[in-house]
Amino acid sequence: MRSLSPRRTAAVALAAAAAVVALAGPASAHVTVNPGSADQGGYTAVDFRVPNENDAAGTVKLEVNLPLDHPLASVRTQPLPGWTATVEKAKLDKPLKVHGNDVNEAVSKITWTADAGVKIAPGQFQEFRVSLGPLPTDTDSLVFKTLQSYENGDVVRWIDEAKDGQPEPAKPAPVLKLTKAPAGDGHGVTATASPSAAADTHAAHGDAATGDKAASDDKASDSTARVLGVVGIVIGVIGTAVGVLGLRRKNGGSAS
């Protein structure tokens, strides 16, 4: 059986390394909500993380649609230098009871528009921070259908909802998972809580969200490190294989 030449062996190994990188990259390239989960009935602060997937144009606008089937009474944006946030509201068919008061409208969409000369450039990402609450207690997730607009006119619609038992859609909508708050932990806030208690818990959840965000970033860093480690191993195998085969050829030539 003929052995592969060093050049062909290196080519095969490089192709394998490229496949590892290709498989690892797209999984983290969606628009996402971070952290990805929060307690039902409470307040939280989340980041909509937006990567630029276009190699030739920058992102200049982001539109996040909030679900009106599970409306949120309190929605606030955090100022982001270089971007202008506008909030749209819609009238509710059924008023929300919050702190003993009827809330007849809720935020339906948030739009961030880049100022002149500002954009999310190719190879970069940006985070858009929002505080939300009280989170509903009658659902286990909130879906935020999102549109990402580029300076060349392209619009990516992150609106597809994942279905149980089916592969993830190509352009999934960002999803915030909602979990039941542990009994007696003091983190959950119902819509009937006093305004001062809600404000205190809102601030506490802002701090918790910062910690969750850091944990999420650490997880992403760990994932990247693992991928780079695999690539490093593959490249090491390339070098070893090429060296061994080259040595064999040299020794074979000397023997002759």
Side-chain angles (χ1 to χ4, degrees):
M1 182 181 296
R2 293 183 60 188
S3 61
L4 293 175
S5 67
R7 182 176 297 177
R8 184 171 298 179
T9 301
V12 171
L14 285 172
V20 170
V21 175
L23 289 173
S28 60
H30 304 327
V31 173
T32 56
V33 179
N34 298 278
S37 64
D39 289 342
Q40 293 178 341
Y43 290 80
T44 190
V46 300
D47 293 310
F48 289 94
R49 185 173 297 166
V50 183
N52 190 315
E53 296 183 312
N54 192 315
D55 294 334
T59 296
V60 293
K61 186 166 71 172
L62 183 74
E63 301 169 72
V64 176
N65 293 278
L66 281 68
L68 288 179
D69 53 343
H70 297 289
L72 299 166
S74 175
V75 177
R76 293 181 174 86
T77 60
Q78 180 170 291
L80 180 63
W83 295 80
T84 300
T86 57
V87 174
E88 297 180 27
K89 295 184 177 182
K91 191 170 184 62
L92 300 177
D93 295 332
K94 182 181 178 180
L96 284 174
K97 274 286 187 185
V98 181
H99 312 318
N101 299 316
D102 286 340
V103 176
N104 296 304
E105 62 179 13
V107 173
S108 58
K109 183 166 72 170
I110 306 172
T111 301
W112 285 271
T113 305
D115 297 343
V118 176
K119 62 184 176 182
I120 308 174
Q124 297 181 352
F125 75 95
Q126 183 60 267
E127 292 181 336
F128 301 83
R129 193 164 180 81
V130 181
S131 68
L132 307 169
L135 299 173
T137 57
D138 58 349
T139 183
D140 59 4
S141 65
L142 292 176
V143 179
F144 300 92
K145 296 186 176 183
T146 301
L147 274 62
Q148 179 182 8
S149 298
Y150 288 88
E151 59 187 337
N152 63 356
D154 290 348
V155 177
V156 180
R157 300 170 61 83
W158 302 96
I159 62 173
D160 297 330
E161 297 187 41
K163 305 296 182 182
D164 291 339
Q166 296 184 12
E168 183 182 63
K171 301 297 180 184
V175 176
L176 177 65
K177 298 292 185 182
L178 301 180
T179 58
K180 292 187 178 299
D185 71 350
H187 289 297
V189 176
T190 64
T192 56
S194 67
S196 59
D200 292 342
T201 306
H202 193 170
H205 272 275
D207 294 338
T210 301
D212 290 342
K213 175 178 176 293
S216 175
D217 290 343
D218 289 343
K219 183 177 179 181
S221 297
D222 290 343
S223 177
T224 301
R226 284 193 294 270
V227 171
L228 292 177
V230 172
V231 174
I233 291 171
V234 173
I235 292 174
V237 171
I238 294 172
T240 302
V242 171
V244 170
L245 289 174
L247 183 59
R248 287 181 178 176
R249 293 186 63 185
K250 180 178 179 181
N251 289 339
S254 299
S256 61

